[in-house]
Structure formats: structure tokens, C-alpha cells
Amino acid sequence: MEEVVRTADTGARAPGGGAARLLFATALIWSLFQLWYASPLPFAWGVLNLNFSEARSLHLAFALFLAFAAFPAARSSPQDRVPASDWALGLIAASAAGYILVSQEALAERPGAPIAVDIAAGVVGMVMLLEAARRALGLPLVIVAAVFLFYGFAGPWMPDVIAHKGASLAKTMSHQWLTSEGVFGVALGVSSNFVFLFVLFGALLDRAGAGAWFIRVSYAALGHLRGGPAKAAVVSSGLTGLISGSSIANVVTTGTFTIPLMKRVGFSGEKAGAVEVAASVNGQIMPPVMGAAAFLMVEYVGIPYIEVIKHAFLPAVISYAALLYIVHLEALKMGLQGLPRPPGRRPRDRLIGYGLTASGLIGFAGAVYWGLAWFKAALGPWALWAAVALLALSYIGLLRLAAGYPAAEDGDDMLTELPPLAPTVKSGLHFLIPVVVLVWCLMIERLSPGLSAFWAIISLVGILLTQRPLLFLLRPAEPGAGGLEASFRRGFGDLLAGLVSGARNMVGIAIATAAAGIVVGTVTLTGLGLVMTEFVELISGGNLMVMLVFTAIISLILGMGLPTTANYIVVATLMAPVVVALAAQGGLMVPLIAVHLFVFYFGLMADVTPPVGLATFAAAAISGADPIRTGVQAFFYSARTIALPFIFLFNTQLLLIGIDNAFHLFITIAGALIAMLVFAAATMGWFLVRSRIWETAALLLVAFILFRPGYFWDMAFPPFESRPATAIEKVAASLPAGEFLRLMVMGEKVTGEKVTRAVVLPMGKSGPARRRLQSAGLRLNVAGGDVRLAAVAFGSAAEKAGLKAGWRVVSVAVAADRPAKEWAIIPALLLLGGIGALQRRRQAPGG
């Protein structure tokens, strides 16, 4: 299993001697540099205060050097040593990436006019980057990047719909390698600013022992239930997903324990592996860490990371809840039982204990929140030091509590019996301190993701250095058999190993974001993004659902060879703006974050989709089952993850957009959760008992209504009423701030084709009608009852919606006074209750 992770994430080579020490030192220096760059120290001390171009250059230089040193050129290449040729290629690649760093001032003096050395550095760097991508990520990403590079040169010979004038070698290399538009663009910037720190945070937290603790807590809490080991696998994978953005590492970390236990209680090898894959892959959508692609949304969508977390939270939770229910239904089908619970308290006492624990945690969270708020107000500049002191006291108190129980790493009894819940939880509560620091900095202090991760890592460094010595003092018989000095050495060794592991895990991500930057650079160089709208509209016929299916298929196909991050960058760059623009032309306002999450969710399937899903192969290696069958079963279990994006595009309340009050939030969460469980029951063909065909169809209908209650409600009660075109200014002036103006327009395209379409335009701040219309890009010509577009501003929302000067406004739509669409949930629940009553009768003897 270590070989699987090394091959996929950190490089298959494991040399010894001086080569191993050099790789160790390089990775360690990379991690230390990234921590320095993220910290406030460069600004405070004025030392190594690099700008974003210099930081990206150094970031890629480290990644390229490690890629050539750690990843063999072929399967036949030596894995126990690094050939001299790979050392040389690594140095050449790192030099080409570092050219930006050492020549930045000279490049700034000749923007857009590269000399021969600049072009040579770009060509060499591009070739080295593609070779590094081939080694670390496989051939598919290289092919995609090469196709886009070729497109940049061969524009004049392309089909008319995507033709362009072409670019010379000098222009292409300057754009792709010497500016921030291509390889060193936004994607690589996100990798160097955010992703590295979160990957490092996960590696250090796992090294501290949090991963093993999460697994034990999951088993202690759920292992006794029907199909308990599989349910524990889902929860432990979700918890591990909090600290790991790698599906493959998640599978291997938790699957080593979960898959044998699932097989022990009756799951087949294929189903055990598939449950682990479905749970591990979904770890990338679980806030607050999520996968690397989530950080790219911060730049591509232009919203804070805390907003990404907010929008991704509900879909992630209900997706995991549905997977738990799927496991429960599988257990019901096979008549499985859980593992025997250790003797202990009565059920009533356990329930009281759970309630007291939950209320205690809520009370503690409230005390921390309000207490720190009081500290900030009362102590002023000393509040930070007071908070650090309280954090240190809490850490010591939790360690003292943990010292009374065996640690997760001190012995593994999960394969023979369930550990008791309370002692298991108490043995690792101190692992939550870095997570609390991360969440506090992100959500309360509203620090940047990079700075939040930095402070969380600093708290983790303190835990790694002091955890073993303090536990030795508190329970001398446990971890420090060699004495206090040995405990310090082990803690320091864990810290170094975690820093190196985090850097090695980042090689593939950094290479992927750099190579995917070639695609982004080609789009900006050739103007491909401008013609994609017409191209996709031609293919889909302007139908939004066809366009979404087309986008999903592209993601799935690319996912067969591209890692999740690269898949997201390619598809989001090409398709996200197109979907938003064409949806607006159809009168549907789709938030950009919804489209990016749509692409992100389908990109997750890269690690599941047969025949090349790496997470599937890792799970199959553990279970001993056929990887293709495991992948097909995992894809089937992931149907809920595939259905969710189509739902939240049309019902953005699932992304917590447009929630008016607490009751509305409750209805949204409850409806979405019930809908996802019903959808899972329909896809499994089992609710209370095996479902008949018509019951499955009815369950799918119930799930659809709960997910999108407005679909049928809009047929009965139209959401908008039509007003004459002459009322446009009156309606525009009356709309609240942030609302949208809905118009029906008619005109001719350049081709002479007559079109009639509904468009949605943002009205922005409140004010006079003409000013609000002009802010959306419209100037009107009103003559009697005829209203025409006198002008459409370049780059405005009106132009992006496809409006042209001279088109006529047919009508204006205003919101209708109608019952809330949530009333549609009631008949859906009644239908669900009827199906449940019928199936319960069949459950009864003789029924």
C-alpha cells in the first residue's frame, strides 16, 4: 500500500544514501520556504519578501526538481537510485522555472519583446514541464496540454468556428512562460499560496496521530450498528478528508483497516472497496480543507474561501449522509449485523451521556467564542497573547486527559473488538486544537486561507514537538520507553517527516496546476473563450440541460486520465463562463459558484471512473477484488454525487444562496437531506423492503420534488407576471438592491436569424431607473409603445447576455404574488409516507 501511495502521490523512487538525504533536504527546504512565504515575518523583517511571480517561480522549481528525482522515467528505470541523467534534467528544469526569479528586473524592462535567451528558457521549461507531468501524472495531461499548444500555433488552419490568426514561437513562449497568463498564472499561484499549506497541514496532522484517532472514534461510535464497519469507513474517511485532499492516500490510510472489517461482516470485496472509494473521494468536498481545486475557486469566482466553504457545506453533508444510508440498505439486503459492542452502560445511560457530551461541546464552543470576544475588547493588544496562553492551557489539560487512556498508535485492537467510545474520544481530543485554530482564523477572524493554515500549522508544530515528552511525563510507561530525550527526538523526527511528506505530496499538484496553466494561457492568447459560447450553443441548440450533460461528459472523459485539479482547471476555464452566459440568455440566473462546483463535483470522478481511477485500484489492491468491478460499483454508489450538481444548479438554496431566515434554512436542510436519502433508496431498489418498479419511480419523483420544489409549483403558480415593455423603467426603479430585471427581447443575429429570448440583468444598487439600466449596459429608445435598445455597452452584463443594439423589448417580467414553493414538499412527503406504509405491510409476517 505504501508503494501505491508513493507511485501516485510522492514518487516511486526510494533511493538510499546521499540521494535519499538530498531528496529529504530538498523537500524539507521547500516546506520551510512555503511556511516563511506564508508568514508575516518577511513583511516584518524585510527578508526574502518575494512577490507573487518570484514565489511561483521558486515553487515550480522545487516541484520540477523533485519530479525528475522522485518519479522514474519508465517502469524499467531504477527505483533504488537516481540516475545522473535525472539529476541533470531536474537541475535544468529547476533552472528554467527559476529564470523568472533571477531575471525579473530584465524581463520587466522588455515586456512583450523577448530576446533569444528568454525564448530558449521558455522552450526548455515547457519541454521539461511536459516531461515532469508525464512522469508524475501520466500521459493524458501531457496530451491535453500539447493539443492546446498546437492549437495556439495552428489557428489559421483550424475550422472556422475556432480559427484564429495564430501565434509565433516567441509570442507563445513569452505569453506562456514569461508572464502570469500561462504556466505561472492563477492556478500555480493558488498552489503556492494556499494549497501547499493545507496539504502540509494534513500531512503534519496525520503524522501527529490524528488519522488513527479519527478511525478509532468512527469504529467506537458506529461499529456496533448493522453493517457498522462500513458505516465507520464512511465516517472515518469523511473525517480523514478534513485533513487530506488526496483520495488515494485517504483510501490507503483508512482502507487498510476498513476494507478487511467490511469483508469480515459480509461485504464482498468489490462492495467493500467501492464503499471505501466513494467515501474517500468525497473527502475532497468536505469543508474546511477540501481538495486542491476548491482553492482555485477563490481566484476564478472571485469570492473569499469562507464563502466557498459555506456553499459547499450542505451538499457535502447530505452526500455523506446518503452514503451512510446506502451502506445501511446494503446491510439490510444481506442481513448483516455489526460487531459486538464492548460491555458497558445501558442504552439509556449512553443516550444521556451523548446528550451531556453534545451540550458540553456546544457550551464550550459558546464560551470560547464569547470569551475570546470579551478578551479582544478588554485586553486590546494583549488579547492575542491571552488567547495563546488559554490555548496552551487547554492543550495541557486535554493531554492530561488523554494520558489516562491508550493512544491510537499504541495498539490496534479494531480487528478483534470495538474500542470503548468515551475513552477513545478522550485519548485524542487535543488533535482538534489545530482544526479549531484553522476554523477560527478562517471563519471568525476572516484571515486569508494561507495565513489561517499557517497559524494552524504553527499550533501543530507545537503539538508534534511537545506531545510525546509531555505524555511521557504524564504516563511514563507509555510512549517514551527510551526516556525523555528519546521522546523529544521522536517528536522532532515526526515534525521533519511531516514536513517532508507534505512537500512530496505537493509535487503532483504543483505540476498539474502548472501544466493546466498551458490550457488557460492558450485560451487567453487565442481568444478561444470568446468563441466557445457560439460553439457550445451550436452543439447544444441553446438547451441548458443538454449543455450541462455535455459539460459533465467532458469532465468524466478527461477524468479518466487527468487528476482532479487539472480536470477542474481545464473544464472550468472552457465551460463555466459559457454555461453562465447561455443560461442568462435563456432567462435563468445561474451563480458562477454553482457552475464551478458543478465542474468540481464531476472532476472528483477522476479517481473513481474505470478503467483508470487510481483510488479504485488502491482499494482493489487492499480488498483483492477486480479493480474494474470495484470501480463500476463505486461509480454506482457515487450516483448521488453525480445527481447533486444538476440539482443545485436549478435550486441554489442547496448552496445556501437566497436563504431568507432560520425557518427557511431548516426547511432547505431537512428537505435536501430527506431528498438525498430517498434518492439513495430509489437507486438501491430498497426502502423498507425491496421496492417494486413503480415504487422506485415514485421515490425518484419524491426526491425530485424535495430537491426542486419549484418545478411543478411553477406550472401551477407561475413565478412571474408579464408587464408591457413601456413599464421597464418603472420596474427597474422598484426592484430592491441586488435583484435582477427580467426581459423578453426580440431581434436579429448577424446571420439574419430572428430570435426571441428571455434575459436576466443585474440591477445593482437602488437608484433612478436610467442609472440602474446603464449600469447593466443598456440605453433605451422609447417611442410610444415601442421600446428598443439604443446601445449596449461593451463588456457589460447586457452584452454578455447576448443583447444587441436595435433589438426590441417585448415585455418585462415581475415577481408574482403566489404561495411559497415549499408547500410542494407536503404532497411529496404524503406520497413518501404512502410508499412507506405499503412496504411496512410487506415487512410484517404474511404481509
Side-chain angles (χ1 to χ4, degrees), residues 798-840:
E799 188 201 36
K800 293 177 181 178
L803 298 181
K804 307 290 182 185
W807 284 20
R808 185 166 67 88
V809 178
V810 178
S811 61
V812 184
V814 297
D817 185 14
R818 63 169 190 163
K821 63 181 181 181
E822 282 73 21
W823 286 105
I825 294 176
I826 294 178
L829 292 178
L830 292 175
L831 177 57
L832 179 62
I835 298 171
L838 290 174
Q839 294 204 357
R840 187 172 293 278

Side-chain angles (χ1 to χ4, degrees), residues 638-683:
S638 300
R640 73 208 190 286
T641 307
I642 296 172
L644 262 177
F646 285 99
I647 300 298
F648 63 56
L649 267 178
F650 294 96
N651 182 13
T652 54
Q653 290 174 1
L654 293 178
L655 304 179
L656 302 184
I657 297 174
I659 302 296
D660 299 326
N661 49 56
F663 181 72
H664 194 186
L665 176 64
F666 171 77
I667 292 294
T668 299
I669 294 176
L673 181 59
I674 296 172
M676 184 51 74
L677 298 182
V678 172
F679 178 79
T683 56

